Amino acid sequence: IDPLMTASHASTDTIQTTLLEQLPHDRLLQRISKMWKYVLILPSLKEAKAFYRVPTSNARIVATKRSKRHENDAKYPYQTSIIMPAFYEKGSHLIAKLTKALETSNDPNEIEVVIVDAGGCTDLEKVVSLSSNEKQFGKISIISFTAGGGRGPCLNFGAANATGRILTFCHSDTTLPSHWDKSILSTLEHDGMEDDDLFRLGKIRSNSCAFAFGIDTSPAGLAMPFTSSSSQSTSSYTSSYFPPGIRAVETTANLRTRLYSLPYGDQVLTLHACVFHFLGGFPDQCLMEDYELVSLLRRRAALLDGVYPDGQMKLNKMSYEKVAIVPGPPALCSPRRWQKFGVIYTTFTNSRLVSLYAGVRKLSADELFELYYGKDPPKRSSADSPWELELKQLLGDTSKKEDDNGGI
C-alpha cells in the first residue's frame, strides 16, 4: 500500500520502516506521503456507472451472436459481462449452466457473456444460440485463449475483451442464484446512490462483491460427471453420490467469508470494470489469483483512510471500502471434487495449499501448481508479463514516432 516502504535487515529479523521515517525533513517525501491516499481513491460510483471500454485484445473470436435488440449495435454498453473460463468443458454442460443463469436473470438483454476457451473444449459453438422461453442474453462470444499461463491470465484475457461496466467472473461449474444480476447491481451500486449519498448516510462502499458459498447437491448437480483434463475420461462412480460432511464444508466456508471478508473464486467475484482495471486485474499467475485479488481488496478496506472522491474525510473510523457479500441465496459450485476425493481429503488439501501459499513457507503459484497437480505449471507463449508486453509496445510506438519526426 505504501510506496515509501523499505526494509532494513538486522540479523535474521526484518524491520519495516518508511523512507519518511528515515528522512523526516525531506519535503518531497512529505508531499508524496500526503498525496498518496488520494492517488489510491477508487473511481467514483458516477464514473463506474458511465464506464465503457472498447476491447483491447486482438482475440480470435470463435463464435459470437447478439440478441435481436442489439444485433445492429456492435458497441452497445452492456450492464454486466459474465466472464467464464472453459478448460476441457463440453458445450452441453455450459449450455445447462448458462440456461439457468439466463432464466434466473432479471434483464438478460443487458448481459454479455464472454466464454474464454483455454483448450480441450468441445461443441462450444452451440452455446451462442442459447435461448430459453424467448429470453436471450444481449451478446454471447466465445474467444480463443492460447497464451497459456493458467487461470489468472485467462481471466484477464476475458476481461480485456468484455464491454460491460460490471465484470462477473464465474467458473464454468458454478450455478448462479435467482435474480443474480439484480442482486449484484444493487450491492455494487447501492441501489443508485452516489458517493456523496454514502458519505452523508455513513455507509461503506462495496469495492467488490461475491455470493455466499453453496454446493449443488440437486440430482442434476450430483449427477454431473467428472472429466479429467489429462485423460479426458469420465468417472461414472461419482454420479449421484452425496459425500457425507458436505454441509459442514458450506458452513465453514461461509463463516470464513463473513467473518474475514474472504470469498474465493467459486463464489463469483464481481467488480466494476473501471475498478478492476484500476487495480490492475488478476495477478499473472496460474493459481491463487482469486486469493491475491481479494487480499488486495481486503487490505484496501482495512488500511486506507476513508477518503471520498471530493477529498472529504469520514467523521468516524469506519473504512470507506468493503468486500461485500451479496444478500440472499448462494452461488452453487459443483460437488465434483468432493465426490471424487472425499470431504476430509479435499478440505485438508485446500487448507494446506492456502497455508503453504500465504503462511510461513510462501510457495509461489508455480510451485503450488507443481505440488498440487504433480506436473510443470502451464507454459506461457511469452516470458514477459502482460504489462511488460504493453510497456514494450508503448516504448516501441514512442521510438517509432521519434524516428518519423527525425529523432526529435
Side-chain angles (χ1 to χ4, degrees):
I1 295 287
D2 191 342
L4 308 180
M5 184 72 74
T6 63
S8 59
H9 298 275
S11 65
T12 59
D13 296 328
T14 299
I15 303 173
Q16 296 290 341
T17 63
T18 65
L19 288 174
L20 190 58
E21 290 173 343
Q22 297 176 15
L23 304 169
H25 303 296
D26 189 294
R27 295 181 65 186
L28 176 60
L29 293 178
Q30 290 176 0
R31 291 177 180 178
I32 292 176
S33 179
K34 292 179 180 179
M35 180 183 66
W36 186 243
K37 65 178 70 175
Y38 297 97
V39 174
L40 294 177
I41 295 175
L42 292 178
S44 68
L45 282 172
K46 184 177 181 179
E47 291 175 296
K49 294 171 186 176
F51 184 80
Y52 175 76
R53 186 173 189 265
V54 177
T56 58
S57 176
N58 297 321
R60 185 177 75 85
I61 300 176
V62 178
T64 187
K65 186 176 182 179
R66 299 183 185 88
S67 66
K68 292 181 180 179
R69 186 191 296 183
H70 304 310
E71 59 185 357
N72 297 319
D73 192 353
K75 295 184 178 180
Y76 183 78
Y78 294 95
Q79 170 192 291
T80 303
S81 291
I82 300 177
I83 299 168
M84 181 175 287
F87 185 61
Y88 282 92
E89 293 288 356
K90 295 181 179 180
S92 57
H93 165 60
L94 295 188
I95 287 174
K97 291 293 180 183
L98 288 172
T99 298
K100 179 72 172 177
L102 176 63
E103 292 173 346
T104 58
S105 62
N106 281 60
D107 195 355
N109 268 295
E110 291 295 320
I111 299 169
E112 172 192 44
V113 178
V114 179
I115 299 172
V116 187
D117 181 2
C121 299
T122 56
D123 298 327
L124 287 188
E125 292 82 357
K126 296 179 180 178
V127 180
V128 297
S129 299
L130 174 68
S131 64
S132 178
N133 298 323
E134 298 185 356
K135 293 177 71 175
Q136 285 182 296
F137 285 120
K139 180 182 178 183
I140 301 179
S141 297
I142 301 169
I143 57 177
S144 178
F145 176 69
T146 58
R151 196 164 56 199
C154 181
L155 291 171
N156 286 333
F157 186 74
N161 287 278
T163 60
R165 75 170 187 261
I166 293 174
L167 301 181
T168 295
F169 297 94
C170 182
H171 291 184
S172 59
D173 63 351
T174 296
T175 302
L176 291 164
S178 299
H179 310 296
W180 60 271
D181 54 334
K182 180 180 179 181
S183 299
I184 285 174
L185 189 66
S186 175
T187 302
L188 275 187
E189 300 190 350
H190 301 275
D191 297 316
M193 288 193 289
E194 301 290 347
D195 291 278
D196 290 340
D197 300 323
L198 295 177
F199 175 77
R200 186 176 64 255
L201 297 173
K203 292 192 173 183
I204 306 172
R205 176 179 170 179
S206 302
N207 58 22
S208 59
C209 69
F211 289 98
F213 178 79
I215 300 173
D216 188 358
T217 55
S218 66
L222 291 172
M224 191 172 72
F226 189 95
T227 303
S228 169
S229 61
S230 56
S231 64
Q232 302 182 44
S233 62
T234 301
S235 303
S236 59
Y237 72 92
T238 61
S239 179
S240 301
Y241 170 60
F242 189 103
I246 209 163
R247 294 301 177 214
V249 174
E250 291 180 327
T251 300
T252 54
N254 283 314
L255 282 173
R256 179 204 71 226
T257 297
R258 298 191 181 278
L259 291 178
Y260 301 106
S261 297
L262 186 57
Y264 289 164
D266 48 14
Q267 293 174 248
V268 192
L269 295 177
T270 302
L271 303 87
H272 274 117
C274 62
V275 172
F276 179 81
H277 296 299
F278 175 80
L279 296 175
F282 286 101
D284 187 49
Q285 58 192 57
C286 58
L287 285 180
M288 305 299 285
E289 78 293 331
D290 52 349
Y291 183 90
E292 283 292 342
L293 180 59
V294 173
S295 294
L296 171 61
L297 293 164
R298 292 174 68 237
R299 287 197 299 273
R300 287 183 59 92
L303 300 177
L304 290 181
D305 292 329
V307 184
Y308 277 74
D310 60 3
Q312 289 181 296
M313 299 291 295
K314 289 196 70 171
L315 300 179
N316 55 40
K317 295 182 179 180
M318 294 173 63
S319 172
Y320 170 56
E321 299 176 25
K322 67 176 180 180
V323 178
I325 305 303
V326 180
L332 302 177
C333 73
S334 168
R336 290 185 293 187
R337 65 188 119 160
W338 292 281
Q339 287 177 311
K340 185 174 183 180
F341 299 110
V343 169
I344 294 177
Y345 177 82
T346 303
T347 302
F348 171 77
T349 301
N350 291 343
S351 300
R352 179 169 176 259
L353 291 176
V354 172
S355 178
L356 289 172
Y357 181 77
V360 176
R361 292 186 62 182
K362 294 192 181 299
L363 296 183
S364 68
D366 285 353
E367 291 171 330
L368 214 61
F369 188 96
E370 292 177 356
L371 179 66
Y372 184 66
Y373 291 104
K375 58 183 180 181
D376 293 336
K379 294 182 179 180
R380 291 171 167 78
S381 60
S382 172
D384 295 324
S385 65
W387 72 267
E388 289 173 316
L389 292 173
E390 189 173 347
L391 180 60
K392 285 183 178 181
Q393 182 180 0
L394 178 63
L395 293 175
D397 292 343
T398 304
S399 300
K400 184 178 180 180
K401 289 179 181 179
E402 289 178 351
D403 293 338
D404 293 342
N405 291 331
I408 298 177

